[in-house]
Amino acid sequence: MQRRLAAIVAADIVGYSRLAQLDEAGALDALRQNQTEIIEPKVKAHEGRIVKFMGDGLLAEFGSVVNAMRFACEMLEATVKAASELPPDRRLRYRIGVNMGDVIVEGDDLFGDGVNIAARLEALAEPDSILLTGLVHEQVKNKLELRFDSLGRRTLKNIAEPVSVYRVALGEGTRALEPVSLDLPQRPSIAVLPFESPGDDEEQRYFSDGITEDIITELSRFRALFVIARTSSFAYRDGGMDVTAIGRELGVRYVLMGSVRRTQHKLRITAQLYEAESGRSIWAIKQDRDPSQLFAMDDEIVQAIVTALPGRIEADWLARGKRKRTDNMVAYDYMLRAWDNLYRNGGTEHRQIAELLHCALELDPGYAQAHALLAFVTVLGWYRNEVPDALDKAYELASQGVALDAEDGWCHFSLGFVCLYRRNYEEAELHYQRAIELNPNDAELLSQFGSFLAYIDRTEEGIEWIRRAMRLNPYRQAWHWHDMGFNFLVARRYEEAVQAFHRVSPPMPFDNCYLAIAHAHLGQPEKAREHAEAMIASRPDSSVQTWLPKEPFRDPATLEHFLDGMRKAGFPERPATKPALAVINGGR
């Protein structure tokens, strides 16, 4: 197997299928003209090689990363100029990804992560824009007269590690749905990185992750703090960056790092708080405790962090508003395993999660959060039509969770979530709002509340709540763009909905259905049919009647608007097979 280091450029045309449908001959002529008059000469001029043209896309290789970037910028400038001579709805608009990495050579073709990352960046890019990796940025930032916007670290499909992504600032050619730079909040801001476990023991990682999340949750209860979401913090699990770079990428002043070592009889926790701009350590702790004293240690760490930060931080909740957590460490361990399964699998293994939670509740029947999480996964069973009366059981469980601990935000969220699907909108909103009062820094709660507001036709409010979630979670998670796209679709802002759903990575269940509806209402039947067919291929039970009994829109006209889009896109009225999963917006 032959390998070499190369700079890779991947590019394609946004919406070429739509252009071909409008004017197949004209689109093909314009494509070929770009290839022969712009792309091929410029690749040659910059000493590169066209690996292949793939329909409306291309892959090119360069020995120099500087030459690769020069080619990408000149190609984009030339194709934008050529497109300006065409009517707006007939223009060929390119998006480009640039990476530098190890590639595998087979004949004239190239394979490997070096190629895959470039292709993933191209798919992530806006029309008329160039995205590049941090490796490329480091090589060219002082050699080319270009300005770059950092987009932070991103998860790319089928790429194991998060990748630092930058965008070439080319003026006003792109319209972003998110900010490209992160200003420091006025209040003290902090990111808690995942605590390390010795030897990267995968069997113990869920436990150290659970400790980290407990600290994030407790800090999130301070309104005077700005706390980065778990998803963004956990993107830095494997190190390799200093605290200054992390603070800059996440837009925070402080970074907490630590480690957890657990044995049968002893728990050792170390933690260190850094001021991100200078990299200076301002507080540290190292303690050995009995495992039963874990939560007391959590509280000490949180109190010490709050004390170390400048300004007055209200901490009276420590005396009157603490969560009621189990004293049974085995029950706690079951709970952490359940959360770990939910994070890793997004609720697809809801039966296994429920089994873990039942074990926790057998050991501690008063474990409030276990009741709340069991209510949540019980709704997932209802989604799949496995337990028709599951909503009643879920409501009972969630209500018990709130009764056991009225100060736990997740308990209130779970009850609000169940109330939404029971069509009890007023009670649902009360519990969503109470959850956010208790955990104002929980990005998922904010995003979920934004999605809830779409169901009751308050989409503009919903979009603003999701934007707040995105600032708390700069390292975007799929559900934020999913919730944003859902709000845009309800608001009939179809083009923005399409942009948002295309940013969901990895794709979430049923997003093809939403894209089909958006394209149908945009008058793009080919694109709508393409997404409908993709949806039906992955979920043969997909149909108009599959969705009808499940989606909890308060206004029947909103539901009918969605169903009309499904019909226009070509979905069958009834499923061809017995439904196995019967909700569009759930199952995350």
Side-chain angles (χ1 to χ4, degrees):
M1 185 180 296
Q2 183 183 353
R3 292 181 177 271
R4 62 171 174 252
L5 187 67
I8 302 297
V9 176
D12 81 345
I13 297 169
V14 180
Y16 182 77
S17 297
R18 179 186 63 82
L19 297 171
Q21 183 183 21
L22 293 172
D23 180 5
E24 185 174 15
L28 185 58
D29 285 344
L31 172 63
R32 287 175 175 167
Q33 187 173 352
N34 281 349
Q35 290 175 346
T36 57
E37 297 182 10
I38 297 175
I39 295 170
E40 290 176 348
K42 290 188 180 296
V43 168
K44 185 176 180 180
H46 292 291
E47 301 177 335
R49 175 178 76 91
I50 294 175
V51 178
K52 56 187 172 184
F53 285 112
M54 305 160 288
D56 63 316
L58 70 103
L59 191 69
E61 174 191 19
F62 296 82
S64 160
V65 69
V66 173
N67 283 352
M69 282 301 303
R70 283 176 173 154
F71 160 75
C73 293
E74 290 181 14
M75 172 196 157
L76 190 61
E77 181 181 10
T79 54
V80 168
K81 183 178 179 180
S84 67
E85 300 173 3
L86 299 171
D89 64 341
R90 305 296 173 95
R91 293 174 182 173
L92 304 189
R93 304 181 67 192
Y94 286 83
R95 54 188 179 185
I96 301 173
V98 184
N99 182 40
M100 178 181 70
D102 189 58
V103 296
I104 300 169
V105 183
E106 287 191 6
D108 292 331
D109 212 345
L110 300 179
F111 302 92
D113 280 353
V115 175
N116 294 339
I117 291 173
R120 298 289 181 257
L121 290 181
E122 168 258 296
L124 187 65
E126 298 281 347
D128 300 334
S129 72
I130 303 169
L131 296 187
L132 56 147
T133 61
L135 287 172
V136 174
H137 176 257
E138 284 299 313
Q139 293 296 314
V140 303
K141 64 181 180 181
N142 297 320
K143 298 175 184 176
L144 297 174
E145 293 184 0
L146 294 171
R147 186 169 62 84
F148 302 94
D149 296 320
S150 173
L151 302 185
R153 290 163 70 87
R154 300 299 180 95
T155 297
L156 304 180
K157 185 178 180 181
N158 296 329
I159 303 300
E161 301 298 331
V163 175
S164 293
V165 179
Y166 290 81
R167 178 171 60 199
V168 178
L170 295 171
E172 301 302 320
T174 63
R175 182 181 184 281
L177 292 171
E178 59 178 317
V180 297
S181 61
L182 300 175
D183 296 328
L184 287 174
Q186 294 298 312
R187 47 194 167 135
S189 48
I190 186 170
V192 182
L193 303 195
F195 278 34
E196 298 176 355
S197 54
D200 292 327
D201 184 353
E202 290 294 336
E203 286 298 314
Q204 294 299 318
R205 178 172 284 188
Y206 78 91
F207 188 83
S208 56
D209 285 356
I211 301 300
T212 308
E213 184 161 10
D214 269 349
I215 293 172
I216 292 173
T217 299
E218 295 308 308
L219 287 172
S220 294
R221 293 158 66 87
F222 287 97
R223 289 185 170 277
L225 283 178
F226 183 96
V227 184
I228 289 294
R230 175 192 193 277
T231 306
S232 290
S233 293
F234 276 53
Y236 299 88
R237 177 192 297 283
D238 296 319
M241 294 184 66
D242 59 35
V243 294
T244 301
I246 293 170
R248 185 171 57 248
E249 287 192 357
L250 294 178
V252 295
R253 294 184 186 275
Y254 303 96
V255 175
L256 180 73
M257 299 179 175
S259 66
V260 177
R261 181 184 296 272
R262 183 177 68 157
T263 65
Q264 186 175 357
H265 303 294
K266 186 172 71 174
L267 188 69
R268 170 172 291 179
I269 291 186
T270 64
Q272 198 156 8
L273 182 67
Y274 295 90
E275 194 278 319
E277 185 175 5
S278 66
R280 177 174 57 93
S281 174
I282 59 176
W283 169 82
I285 188 173
K286 179 179 179 180
Q287 289 194 4
D288 292 332
R289 291 287 189 90
D290 183 276
S292 63
Q293 298 176 306
L294 170 64
F295 299 134
M297 193 185 301
D298 271 2
D299 292 341
E300 287 179 21
I301 291 173
V302 171
Q303 181 67 71
I305 291 169
V306 169
T307 303
L309 297 181
R312 183 171 178 268
I313 307 296
E314 297 294 340
D316 61 337
W317 64 270
L318 282 171
R320 63 178 174 82
K322 289 168 59 176
R323 288 187 299 156
K324 297 174 184 176
R325 297 181 285 192
T326 182
D327 292 327
N328 189 308
M329 292 306 296
V330 179
Y332 178 67
D333 194 83
Y334 277 123
M335 186 70 180
L336 291 185
R337 291 179 186 271
W339 276 114
D340 183 60
N341 191 316
L342 184 64
Y343 281 125
R344 284 187 292 105
N345 301 303
T348 58
E349 297 185 2
H350 59 282
R351 288 174 176 162
Q352 292 90 325
I353 298 172
E355 289 174 6
L356 291 167
L357 295 169
H358 281 299
C359 290
L361 289 170
E362 284 179 11
L363 292 165
D364 184 355
Y367 199 167
Q369 199 173 93
H371 283 282
L373 186 53
L374 184 56
F376 182 78
V377 299
T378 299
V379 175
L380 300 187
W382 173 78
Y383 284 158
R384 291 155 174 80
N385 286 334
E386 294 168 3
V387 188
D389 61 348
L391 282 186
D392 292 336
K393 180 62 177 176
Y395 184 77
E396 179 185 335
L397 286 164
S399 298
Q400 193 167 0
V402 170
L404 287 166
D405 188 356
E407 300 300 319
D408 188 291
W410 218 90
C411 289
H412 282 280
F413 159 72
S414 180
L415 183 52
F417 184 74
V418 175
C419 287
L420 169 62
Y421 284 93
R422 286 166 59 92
R423 270 69 171 181
N424 190 338
Y425 303 105
E426 290 74 19
E427 186 177 356
E429 185 169 3
L430 286 173
H431 287 290
Y432 273 111
Q433 289 178 337
R434 181 58 178 153
I436 293 171
E437 287 174 6
L438 291 166
N439 272 55
N441 289 291
D442 191 316
E444 184 169 4
L445 289 182
L446 270 59
S447 191
Q448 287 266 17
F449 185 52
S451 183
F452 162 77
L453 290 172
Y455 282 115
I456 59 175
D457 288 300
R458 286 160 55 185
T459 53
E460 293 306 312
E461 289 179 65
I463 289 166
E464 288 308 308
W465 279 103
I466 297 165
R467 290 194 191 282
R468 293 189 207 179
M470 286 179 167
R471 179 56 185 93
L472 287 166
N473 193 10
Y475 183 66
R476 308 286 188 248
Q477 189 70 333
W479 68 74
H480 294 325
W481 287 117
H482 174 91
D483 291 341
M484 184 72 84
F486 181 65
N487 269 267
F488 282 139
L489 193 52
V490 174
R492 276 68 163 175
R493 293 164 63 174
Y494 305 118
E495 291 185 356
E496 291 166 289
V498 169
Q499 291 183 53
F501 283 119
H502 278 307
R503 287 174 173 265
V504 178
S505 178
M508 294 179 68
F510 299 102
D511 280 352
N512 271 315
C513 185
Y514 286 126
L515 283 164
I517 293 169
H519 285 295
H521 286 303
L522 282 169
Q524 298 168 352
E526 182 178 320
K527 275 287 187 182
R529 193 177 307 111
E530 176 185 324
H531 286 289
E533 289 173 353
M535 183 71 211
I536 294 168
S538 63
R539 304 277 182 171
D541 59 294
S542 300
S543 72
V544 176
Q545 291 299 320
T546 301
W547 193 6
L548 186 60
K550 294 291 182 179
E551 282 299 287
F553 291 108
R554 182 162 64 181
D555 185 352
T558 304
L559 176 59
E560 188 54 41
H561 161 253
F562 273 65
L563 299 181
D564 181 53
M566 291 183 73
R567 293 184 180 102
K568 288 179 179 178
F571 281 93
E573 194 68 23
R574 292 177 177 79
T577 60
K578 183 179 179 180
L581 181 61
V583 68
I584 299 297
N585 196 37
R588 59 171 63 145

